[in-house]
Structure formats: C-alpha cells, structure tokens
Amino acid sequence: MPAGGTLALIQDIGILGVDDTEDALAAIARVSPKIASEWPRYKTLEEVHEGTERRSDDISDTWAWITDSDVRHDDAARLFEDVQLSSSPRILEHTAEQLNALFRTTSFFARLSPEQRQALEAENTKLYERLGRPIRSCVATVLLTARKRGLAR
C-alpha cells in the first residue's frame, strides 16, 4: 500500500438499544450456555464511538474491540494513523418465523443439537407472542478507516 493509502474495514455488528436483543440473547443462553458465552459482547452505539475515540491510535486494537474478536496485530499502530469511525444503525424487525429462518442460516445454529434448535425456535415463538409485535434488533454497519503512515516510527 503506498504512503497515504487508506485501510477500510467494514462489518455489521449487533448494537444494544431500544429493542429486544437482550431477550433474544437470553433465549440463546437458556438453550446453549456455551454458545452464549462465546457470543460477542454487544455495546451501545455511543459506547462504540467513545471506545473508538479512546483507541484511535491503533486501528487493530480498535477493530478487535469493536468486533469482539482476536484480530489484533502489533504492527498496526506503527503502520496506520488517523483512525476514523462511521456507523449506520438500523432497527430490524422479524416475526418468529422470519427470525428462525434467519437463524437456520447461521453457523451457531448448525452447532446446536436438533433438540436445542427446536427449543430455540420455540423460545423465539414465545418471545414474539409475548411482545405481540415483531422482534426488534439493532445492528450497525461500521466503517473503520485509517491512513497508512508516510514514514515508519
């Protein structure tokens, strides 16, 4: 990458907000505590922006924190500067049937036993019926950019 080039990282992340995410995550925890323990920790959008600001000297550390993943690389802080975050949050709404169909496409669902899959689908149906409306979740598309330094430190 030439000096002054830009690195851009983009991903959808779950966001805590005015939605039903905590109830849906609790249902996963009831069905599979192991999978729930491995789930990324959701943050509010404000936390994501404030945390990025605190980590703005290291894109790798920032990305690892935002995505709750082990992707940190020690050279990134030396190679990149001017870390910037843009985000676009949105509320998604699903019926229990739609949410169950979505879950069937995920890797975590494939790790569940047939009994756990049925139990999770039943949990989602109960949640939908209890709410009397679509199940809401909040996601944000986050874009993290950093410029390549012209000279190594």
Side-chain angles (χ1 to χ4, degrees):
M1 180 183 294
T6 300
L7 172 66
L9 305 169
I10 188 167
Q11 183 168 320
D12 281 340
I13 61 171
I15 295 291
L16 289 177
V18 182
D19 58 29
D20 307 311
T21 298
E22 291 180 18
D23 288 334
L25 292 174
I28 293 169
R30 283 190 295 278
V31 170
S32 178
K34 180 178 176 6
I35 286 178
S37 72
E38 299 166 356
W39 208 267
R41 186 183 88 70
Y42 285 16
K43 304 162 185 68
T44 65
L45 195 55
E46 183 177 305
E47 285 177 300
V48 171
H49 280 271
E50 289 173 357
T52 297
E53 186 67 29
R54 286 192 306 275
R55 293 168 178 80
S56 64
D57 60 334
D58 186 341
I59 190 167
S60 177
D61 183 47
T62 305
W63 191 248
W65 179 78
I66 287 173
T67 61
D68 198 22
S69 59
D70 187 21
V71 295
R72 194 171 186 311
H73 194 283
D74 291 336
D75 289 332
R78 181 179 59 78
L79 296 172
F80 296 94
E81 62 186 351
D82 192 25
V83 176
Q84 300 290 319
L85 174 71
S86 297
S87 64
S88 179
R90 62 198 181 283
I91 300 290
L92 304 177
E93 294 188 333
H94 296 96
T95 64
E97 184 178 311
Q98 290 168 332
L99 186 58
N100 289 333
L102 176 63
F103 280 179
R104 288 183 206 114
T105 69
T106 64
S107 61
F108 93 85
F109 195 81
R111 293 173 48 203
L112 298 174
S113 70
E115 295 79 19
Q116 288 173 311
R117 292 176 189 169
Q118 288 177 341
L120 182 57
E121 289 181 351
E123 289 276 346
N124 290 334
T125 299
K126 283 189 256 180
L127 177 59
Y128 178 71
E129 290 170 353
R130 180 174 57 82
L131 294 171
R133 60 166 171 73
I135 301 167
R136 296 182 182 132
S137 61
C138 185
V139 296
T141 301
V142 292
L143 170 64
L144 195 66
T145 60
R147 285 183 299 110
K148 185 174 181 193
R149 291 184 188 277
L151 300 171
R153 283 195 228 174

